Amino acid sequence: MTAQPPSSWTVTGWILRRPTALSEAEQLQFKTVLAHCPQLDALTRHVRSSAVMLAEHQGERLPERLDAVRRDDLPNRHTLAAGIDRDRDAVIAGLTLPWNSSVIERHVNRIKMLKPQRFGRADFHLLRKRVLLYSQDIAF
């Protein structure tokens, strides 16, 4: 009887975690999976190098990363690279500069969470009151 292959969720977790965070058994299984799928191996390289670029604010490396993506046979990644190229200067600035819009994004996500809660149970005035009361508690 052969061993069951790891689930897609397991492999995704291996790709997204730091290589040093994987146990020896996981590293061995992951190397086996990558040996059987060159596209997944290329994707793993791109994900990990992009993570370093993000964590270390190395936006100037973006053109080099996009060229590397285009050299591989990953058509869906080519589409992503083309989309990033359309707004390259803004993406580089977002990867490089210390300022970001995370506070605003947090509020947008919170409002998106609150909106479905009100359907069928409350009206717009209750939603407005909840948003305004919550925003008074947060210091910008």
Side-chain angles (χ1 to χ4, degrees):
M1 182 182 265
T2 61
Q4 188 173 0
S7 71
S8 59
W9 285 104
T10 301
V11 175
T12 301
W14 292 340
I15 292 171
L16 295 176
R17 288 186 356 227
R18 294 175 191 256
T20 56
L22 299 175
S23 70
E24 286 185 32
E26 290 172 327
Q27 288 178 15
L28 183 61
Q29 285 180 296
F30 190 42
K31 284 179 184 178
T32 304
V33 168
L34 295 180
H36 287 89
C37 184
Q39 292 89 0
L40 195 58
D41 188 31
L43 179 65
T44 300
R45 285 193 316 273
H46 293 306
V47 168
R48 289 184 172 169
S49 64
S50 296
V52 170
M53 184 178 62
L54 286 166
E56 297 178 5
H57 299 280
Q58 298 174 341
E60 68 279 354
R61 291 186 51 212
L62 182 66
E64 159 193 334
R65 296 295 332 126
L66 294 176
D67 290 341
V69 167
R70 287 188 190 95
R71 285 191 298 269
D72 283 329
D73 185 25
L74 300 169
N76 57 346
R77 298 297 94 192
H78 296 175
T79 304
L80 174 67
I84 291 172
D85 261 340
R86 282 192 288 267
D87 206 8
R88 182 185 286 216
D89 291 338
V91 176
I92 290 173
L95 292 170
T96 308
L97 299 174
W99 306 287
N100 62 53
S101 61
S102 63
V103 172
I104 301 301
E105 292 298 324
R106 185 174 66 226
H107 289 298
V108 168
N109 286 333
R110 183 180 50 77
I111 289 170
K112 286 181 179 179
M113 179 202 66
L114 290 174
K115 189 175 177 183
Q117 291 178 2
R118 77 173 182 97
F119 286 116
R121 292 181 280 179
D123 61 3
F124 174 77
H125 299 291
L126 177 60
L127 175 65
R128 182 176 182 273
K129 188 172 186 173
R130 288 180 72 180
V131 169
L132 292 175
L133 287 174
Y134 183 84
S135 64
Q136 291 174 354
D137 293 336
I138 297 177
F140 285 91

